[in-house]
Amino acid sequence: MSVFLVLIPVSLTLAIAFVFLCLASIRGGQFDDLESPRWRILFDGAPESAPSAALPQPAQPAILARKIDDQG
């Protein structure tokens, strides 16, 4: 019975950690573009060589990406 006093807080901590990681990946844009990867395999070479009209365009991301400067 005393093992429950250890298992319940551990399981709640793990559950909260997984929910936090899931929300962080959603906010980070991990699941924004679900269409392009399955079409990208059909084209040979680098993604730049594929005609852009043939690839489906991703939906508008929920969070706008920040520009990364070379200075910092």
Side-chain angles (χ1 to χ4, degrees):
M1 193 68 176
S2 64
V3 73
F4 288 124
L5 297 175
V6 173
L7 289 178
I8 290 175
V10 169
S11 64
L12 288 176
T13 303
L14 284 175
I16 291 170
F18 282 121
V19 167
F20 175 75
L21 290 173
C22 181
L23 291 176
S25 66
I26 290 171
R27 288 185 184 142
Q30 182 74 26
F31 304 109
D32 281 348
D33 185 16
L34 298 177
E35 293 292 323
S36 294
R38 65 178 163 176
W39 291 101
R40 197 175 307 136
I41 196 169
L42 298 176
F43 299 102
D44 290 334
E48 294 84 25
S49 67
S52 62
L55 290 175
Q57 298 300 319
Q60 180 68 25
I63 299 174
L64 297 176
R66 296 182 192 152
K67 273 191 167 181
I68 299 174
D69 294 333
D70 292 335
Q71 292 124 5

